[in-house]
Amino acid sequence: MLICLTGLPLTFHEEIDHWIDPPPAYAEMPPETPHQSLDDLIGRAQALYPGETIVSLFKDDDAPQVLVWMAPSFAAMEKDPKLEHFIRFDARTGQVIEQSKPPEQQRTSFMTLMLRLHVDLFADLAGSLFMGAMGLLFVAALVSGVVLYGPFTRKLDFGVVRSGRSQRTRWLDLHNLLGIVTALWVLVVGATGVLNELATPLFTLWQRTDVQAMLASRESDTPPAPGELTSVQSAYDKAIRALPDMHVAAVIYPGNPFGSPHHYLLWGHGKTPLAERLFSPVLVDARTGELTAVVEMPWYLRALEISRPLHFGDYGGLPLKIIWALLDLVTIVVLASGLYLWLAKHSRVRFPRHKRMPAPAAADLPEAAE
């Protein structure tokens, strides 16, 4: 129930975010206006916070903005993630249009609250694994419900709601009808939700196997000092040429725990609504600027990426989001009615109306079987 309730606003997270926190106003300029060099924007960020470390940057393909993320150091950021902060630049003019608030002024937003409750209950990896286990139980309950549906309703017309019977019987018929009609959608969303909960261990497995093997030859090398880093814009251009059918959105700096000690790690994603969840990483040597590798993601991370748009229903625009939300509401009704039926059944067992219960009539067999 918690997952369904929090999933409802998450389906419209972009719309809600824009309503609660409207995007900054950008200068009106022709669409073909060239963007500033990433090197220039990095230089302006370092001038604002001398002595701090560039952690990563994000170049938006939907809006003319570049976000530069900084921290006192990578070690300080690992100890306290709140020390990481961003500077938002207009990608065309290079002007600063926003900066993140200091850590003491930061508050958990509504959508962050919904996301954490939905994903890990504010318990990080342990919470994700717990929610994944709950998702597996949910899928198992769905499968068992489908198996029981056929024998239970074999003497009834499909979709019948026996309005002349007791309230519990009416709710039972409605529960069965809504459950079987939405079973396939619920199975897809439940199974993809379980897969999403495994994102952290799956990416960790990839980093400790494929990525470590790829970087094994560089283990003895000293990571580049800040003054030895090559041009970020040049690395970005190389990634664009290596991924001509993708947008390159993010650059992870060398030394970042989520990157490589010796490379810029650049992430590209597809250009269509479905493919924008499919990511391809590119490694560029941070000292020499040479393209090191276009990394092929393993099958299990591809499966994870494909599962995300299916889970959130955000690959078909607002109409599909509305359909996902309606199906989510139906699932909430199924869960609530199932809880009601379970409580009503057990209260009848604990507090029978008569000391001796008569044998059920033939017309009551479906309810008795339940």
Side-chain angles (χ1 to χ4, degrees):
M1 183 66 79
L2 174 66
I3 289 173
C4 287
L5 290 173
T6 55
L8 196 57
L10 287 173
T11 303
F12 302 99
H13 69 93
E14 292 180 349
E15 291 78 6
I16 294 175
D17 279 337
H18 287 177
W19 174 58
I20 295 177
D21 187 14
Y26 300 100
E28 292 189 7
M29 304 179 72
E32 63 275 8
T33 303
H35 287 191
Q36 296 280 318
S37 166
L38 296 178
D39 295 328
D40 291 342
L41 299 182
I42 290 294
R44 294 179 188 184
Q46 290 176 322
L48 287 172
Y49 295 94
E52 292 205 355
T53 301
I54 304 293
V55 174
S56 61
L57 64 87
F58 170 76
K59 184 175 175 63
D60 201 338
D61 51 87
D62 292 325
Q65 64 174 350
V66 174
L67 278 77
V68 177
W69 291 85
M70 305 183 72
S73 66
F74 288 122
M77 183 185 72
E78 285 192 80
K79 291 181 180 178
D80 185 3
K82 288 186 176 181
L83 294 177
E84 188 180 9
H85 61 97
F86 69 82
I87 307 167
R88 189 191 308 271
F89 292 96
D90 187 313
R92 302 157 305 171
T93 66
Q95 297 299 312
V96 176
I97 53 178
E98 185 186 8
Q99 295 194 50
S100 54
K101 296 178 180 179
E104 62 273 8
Q105 297 180 18
Q106 295 178 13
R107 299 290 183 269
T108 301
S109 67
F110 171 74
M111 293 310 300
T112 299
L113 174 63
M114 293 296 101
L115 181 63
R116 293 299 302 272
L117 289 174
H118 190 82
V119 173
D120 61 12
L121 299 176
F122 289 91
D124 299 321
L125 179 58
S128 294
L129 296 178
F130 172 78
M131 297 296 273
M134 293 299 101
L136 285 175
L137 291 176
F138 177 66
V139 171
L142 175 65
V143 172
S144 66
V146 172
V147 171
L148 291 171
Y149 177 80
F152 179 67
T153 59
R154 64 180 178 270
K155 294 184 179 181
L156 299 173
D157 294 331
F158 178 80
V160 66
V161 176
R162 293 168 286 179
S163 56
R165 300 289 297 278
S166 66
Q167 178 179 339
R168 182 175 178 276
T169 301
R170 293 196 301 270
W171 273 109
L172 174 62
D173 290 342
L174 186 62
H175 173 86
N176 288 333
L177 171 61
L178 296 177
I180 200 63
V181 168
T182 59
L184 181 59
W185 178 85
V186 175
L187 179 61
V188 169
V189 173
T192 54
V194 172
L195 189 57
N196 273 272
E197 294 290 2
L198 299 177
T200 298
L202 287 179
F203 270 98
T204 301
L205 173 65
W206 174 62
Q207 287 182 318
R208 293 182 178 178
T209 53
D210 297 352
V211 176
Q212 284 295 108
M214 189 184 307
L215 301 178
S217 61
R218 302 290 300 273
E219 286 184 353
S220 59
D221 294 352
T222 304
E228 298 177 303
L229 296 178
T230 190
S231 164
V232 177
Q233 184 64 54
S234 175
Y236 184 85
D237 293 339
K238 285 184 171 66
I240 288 287
R241 289 193 291 270
L243 303 173
D245 298 325
M246 290 189 165
H247 291 295
V248 177
V251 182
I252 310 299
Y253 260 60
N256 191 314
F258 298 101
S260 161
H262 311 283
H263 302 84
Y264 291 118
L265 173 61
L266 300 100
W267 287 94
H269 64 81
K271 296 180 179 180
T272 65
L274 184 58
E276 70 178 358
R277 296 279 189 166
L278 300 177
F279 292 91
S280 290
V282 176
L283 289 173
V284 176
D285 192 296
R287 266 201 183 97
T288 66
E290 295 297 321
L291 180 69
T292 301
V294 178
V295 184
E296 184 69 26
M297 299 292 279
W299 66 268
Y300 52 86
L301 289 183
R302 285 293 181 190
L304 172 64
E305 292 171 339
I306 292 173
S307 75
R308 284 175 171 165
L310 293 175
H311 184 73
F312 290 104
D314 56 359
Y315 62 91
L318 186 59
L320 187 62
K321 290 183 179 183
I322 293 174
I323 293 173
W324 244 243
L326 293 174
L327 289 168
D328 190 10
L329 288 171
V330 172
T331 306
I332 291 173
V333 173
V334 173
L335 290 170
S337 61
L339 181 60
Y340 161 73
L341 292 168
W342 186 84
L343 291 172
K345 180 178 180 179
H346 283 267
S347 65
R348 290 198 310 174
V349 172
R350 292 180 59 191
F351 305 106
R353 295 183 182 177
H354 307 286
K355 293 182 180 179
R356 289 178 120 184
M357 298 298 292
D364 291 332
L365 282 177
E367 186 177 356
E370 192 278 334

